[in-house]
Amino acid sequence: MPDYLIRLVQMHESFRKAEIQALAEVAGVEIKVVEYHEDSPYCTVRLPSESAATAIMTRTILAHGIHELWGRGQNYEELHHSVKNDSSSLWSRYHLTPFRFTLDSFRGARTPAEQRTIIESFSYLDFQGPIRMKDPEVSFRVFEHYDDKATAPKRLYLGRFVASSGRHAMTAYDLKKRHYISTTSMDAELALVTANIALAAPGKLFYDPFMGTGGFPIASAHFGAVVCGSDIDGRSIRGTGGSSRKGQVGKRDVAGNFKQYGTEGSYLGAFVSDLTNTPLRVPAPSSEGHGRRGAYLDGIICDPPYGIREGLKVLGSREELGDVERATHRDRHKEPSYIPPKRPYSFIAMLDDILAFAASALVANGRLSMWMPTANDEDIELFIPTNPYLEIVSVCVQPFNKWSRRLLTYRRLGDEEVDKEQVEIARKEYEKGVKADDLNIFRRKYFEGFKEYERLRQEALISEETAIRKEKVKRPGISEIEK
Amino acid sequence: MKLLTLNFLTCAIKSCKTSPASFPLHPRDAELEIVEADVNLAFLQNILPRLMWAELRTIASELGLPTLPEDIPEREALVEGRGEGEGEGEGGEQIPSQTAKDLHRVLLETCIQEGKLVCGNCGHEYAVKEGVANFLLPGHLV
């Protein structure tokens, strides 16, 4: 199996590998990651064929392109040696082909003269075809990876271009150009990456229980999935709640967004509902010998409300209803102006509910991709909600200043893979409480301004300062010498 | 909402979920609309084994749509053959059969725009407005 070099983007680092591996699964291709580092945009992988490489790359968001690897090394001597050793059998294929030869330096720069010298040092490849900077039939590229502020590159690669990525979709789905969005819409790049990691693909059925203005279903439909969604706030679906666009007039709704992207055929529709009282079928998670379980979803993608910018509410009342109140609800609920009562809910309980629903509704190997926030003072690996029917596939982190959000992706196990004992153990008590702050650890920390994080940071700063002071005391006179 | 959605929806009231009468929900005073779309054969093939066929037939007849066959079609019956392949034998794209087109018409082109969905167990009515059904339960039913 040949090696390929993927030119990744150097951002959202922890999502990159998860995306590539998910897309290999979508394409039904075996992939082996040979070399991957969080601080490098160059990743080498082993793939069965060039068509496999193309299949993966054309959907990838967090990369620029994939190249057939012709050689690698720590310096040019090693690179030339590697090219001569590993790929000399390929040279003659491009002997007369119109070609382009370029240089890609990461964290470094070369003058045009230097670039020319480097490119000419490969003259032993003996390409006699015409040089064509525009639309060449074959394109070669030298990749240089520098350490920060280094003068010489530390890793070098030579690759033949195979396919460019699907990153352009990011521009097409840019929120700035979307007709209807809200304050908490996920940016197009991460919504598309999420759909990729959840294995959205033609023929599949995807659902988002907190759809808002439909960002995730739209991203999943881009990759060919048929989608539906729901939200507790019907205004966001019907679009009567307005949009966050300044000066926007006329009605905009989720269906309109699908029309904008030409995927309305893949949009089953949406309904107003609450996950704790879902109208969707909830088949028993284990088949118990009844034959088929009745599961129907291939993927669930969601960004549940964190309880900060949007309230975390479910149906119900804060206090038990009295007889009079119950009677009032009974008599009035058919009136058009009736609004069902809602109560605050525990974020942790909500996550467990999402997992339980996923365990029921997902088919075997179906995926749940769910975003959740974490304060940075908590151990990052800590607290991944679990369910005996689901297996965690990847954890990707998007760090902000004082908090992070993570994308947790689970795979629904096949019935034969489920550990029956775990199912028994998994009965647990949800947090109980009435006020929103008691229910949501993250919300409380957010509004307390992440005190713990600040305290730790201050302590770290103080100890650093004292260390510097001690250093100065130990070595007096250095500054005088420098002067 | 497209009609396929009804194959996944039951009554939102928890105590109804266990009763077989809560599925499917029965459309009442429904205004239908046909929204044409390309036949998505891969999706039909994937979703076919997950359909609750008997319930789908019930809904179709309640809405006055053409009667669906008594038995669920075989997966093979969705494909008529392959188109003009470019080169090798398997090259051409699969052509959807009339069965697939009929199924597509019912599941993915027929939409409920206005009306009600009624639970066969408790009789609760869920309103559909502008194609969006409202499943929020009133205070006394949560």
Side-chain angles (χ1 to χ4, degrees), chain B:
Chain B
M1 61 198 299
K2 295 188 164 73
L3 220 53
L4 173 63
T5 325
L6 286 191
N7 217 260
F8 312 124
L9 290 169
T10 68
C11 186
I13 297 168
K14 280 193 180 112
S15 55
C16 276
K17 281 253 192 296
T18 48
S19 159
S22 69
F23 179 75
L25 297 172
H26 304 282
R28 191 176 291 167
D29 309 328
E31 276 176 37
L32 299 182
E33 195 185 353
I34 299 286
V35 181
E36 301 216 342
D38 294 336
V39 178
N40 186 341
L41 192 59
F43 180 68
L44 285 175
Q45 286 171 328
N46 190 30
I47 208 74
L48 188 68
R50 301 179 198 169
L51 291 178
M52 298 293 192
W53 189 254
E55 289 82 356
L56 183 65
R57 289 189 78 219
T58 313
I59 295 171
S61 75
E62 284 175 6
L63 288 170
L65 299 172
T67 317
L68 291 169
E70 201 158 319
D71 294 313
I72 187 162
E74 298 283 327
R75 191 187 151 93
E76 289 73 34
L78 297 176
V79 187
E80 204 163 65
R82 284 179 186 280
E84 296 287 304
E86 285 154 30
E88 306 100 82
E90 297 266 326
E93 240 177 57
Q94 294 185 325
I95 297 174
S97 66
Q98 191 57 43
T99 315
K101 285 178 192 158
D102 292 346
L103 208 55
H104 172 76
R105 188 74 168 182
V106 176
L107 297 176
L108 296 162
E109 288 187 334
T110 314
C111 308
I112 299 190
Q113 284 303 102
E114 301 285 331
K116 290 181 189 113
L117 298 170
V118 186
C119 172
N121 190 48
C122 68
H124 190 76
E125 293 176 351
Y126 300 98
V128 183
K129 280 180 203 155
E130 297 170 50
V132 179
N134 184 350
F135 288 97
L136 296 185
L137 296 171
H140 65 289
L141 291 174
V142 177

Side-chain angles (χ1 to χ4, degrees), chain A residues 109-352:
Chain A
R110 296 279 193 184
T111 62
E114 282 174 324
Q115 288 188 24
R116 202 186 160 88
T117 317
I118 290 167
I119 291 165
E120 277 175 0
S121 71
F122 288 91
S123 58
Y124 56 84
L125 293 171
D126 195 24
F127 293 151
Q128 298 300 328
I131 295 167
R132 228 179 253 170
M133 295 315 278
K134 235 180 177 180
D135 303 320
E137 278 174 39
V138 61
S139 176
F140 296 89
R141 187 166 275 201
V142 180
F143 299 90
E144 294 186 320
H145 183 199
Y146 293 74
D147 267 332
D148 205 13
K149 297 188 182 103
T151 47
K154 63 166 183 176
R155 297 286 291 160
L156 296 161
Y157 309 88
L158 174 69
R160 178 181 64 84
F161 176 78
V162 173
S164 55
S165 74
R167 194 167 169 77
H168 50 82
M170 232 174 93
T171 324
Y173 286 85
D174 191 351
L175 290 185
K176 287 179 193 154
K177 288 179 249 160
R178 191 172 301 171
H179 293 326
Y180 176 57
I181 60 167
S182 76
T183 49
T184 53
S185 293
M186 178 73 66
D187 65 270
E189 181 177 26
L190 285 176
L192 289 162
V193 170
T194 310
N196 267 339
I197 292 177
L199 312 181
K204 293 190 178 182
L205 179 61
F206 269 61
Y207 170 61
D208 179 355
F210 308 97
M211 70 186 298
T213 55
F216 287 126
I218 287 164
S220 309
H222 169 69
F223 294 118
V226 171
V227 296
C228 61
S230 66
D231 201 290
I232 196 167
D233 186 357
R235 293 172 302 180
S236 75
I237 303 170
R238 293 201 190 92
T240 41
S243 157
S244 55
R245 285 256 177 280
K246 194 184 166 201
Q248 187 180 77
V249 287
K251 195 181 153 174
R252 304 270 192 230
D253 60 358
V254 177
N257 279 345
F258 278 93
K259 283 197 193 91
Q260 182 185 351
Y261 300 116
T263 49
E264 66 267 37
S266 302
Y267 177 50
L268 280 188
F271 46 91
V272 188
S273 82
D274 160 27
L275 190 75
T276 59
N277 294 280
T278 182
L280 284 166
R281 280 198 277 131
V282 187
S286 58
S287 60
E288 310 272 328
H290 293 314
R292 66 172 190 170
R293 259 196 311 125
Y296 49 92
L297 292 176
D298 293 286
I300 299 172
I301 302 188
C302 62
D303 187 14
Y306 309 151
I308 294 165
R309 301 179 71 188
E310 62 299 82
L312 209 184
K313 297 261 176 86
V314 297
L315 291 176
S317 313
R318 274 172 205 257
E319 253 109 84
E320 191 83 12
L321 292 181
D323 286 344
V324 183
E325 288 164 310
R326 296 184 72 83
T328 318
H329 282 296
R330 191 160 42 239
D331 298 341
R332 295 268 179 94
H333 80 265
K334 285 190 182 171
E335 290 174 14
S337 59
Y338 177 82
I339 293 167
K342 298 184 186 80
R343 66 185 169 95
Y345 195 58
S346 150
F347 184 64
I348 313 284
M350 175 68 85
L351 296 179
D352 280 344

Side-chain angles (χ1 to χ4, degrees), chain A residues 3-7 50-51 53-54 57-58 63-71 90 93-94 97-104 127 132-133 135-143 157-166 168:
Chain A
D3 278 8
Y4 291 88
L5 175 79
I6 299 175
R7 170 61 161 97
E50 194 163 315
S51 61
T54 308
M57 192 46 52
T58 45
H64 293 298
I66 192 162
H67 306 258
E68 184 181 58
L69 191 63
W70 278 29
L90 303 168
R93 285 190 208 172
Y94 307 100
T97 320
F99 74 103
R100 174 170 67 182
F101 211 107
T102 50
L103 190 70
D104 175 68
F127 293 151
R132 228 179 253 170
M133 295 315 278
D135 303 320
E137 278 174 39
V138 61
S139 176
F140 296 89
R141 187 166 275 201
V142 180
F143 299 90
Y157 309 88
L158 174 69
R160 178 181 64 84
F161 176 78
V162 173
S164 55
S165 74
H168 50 82

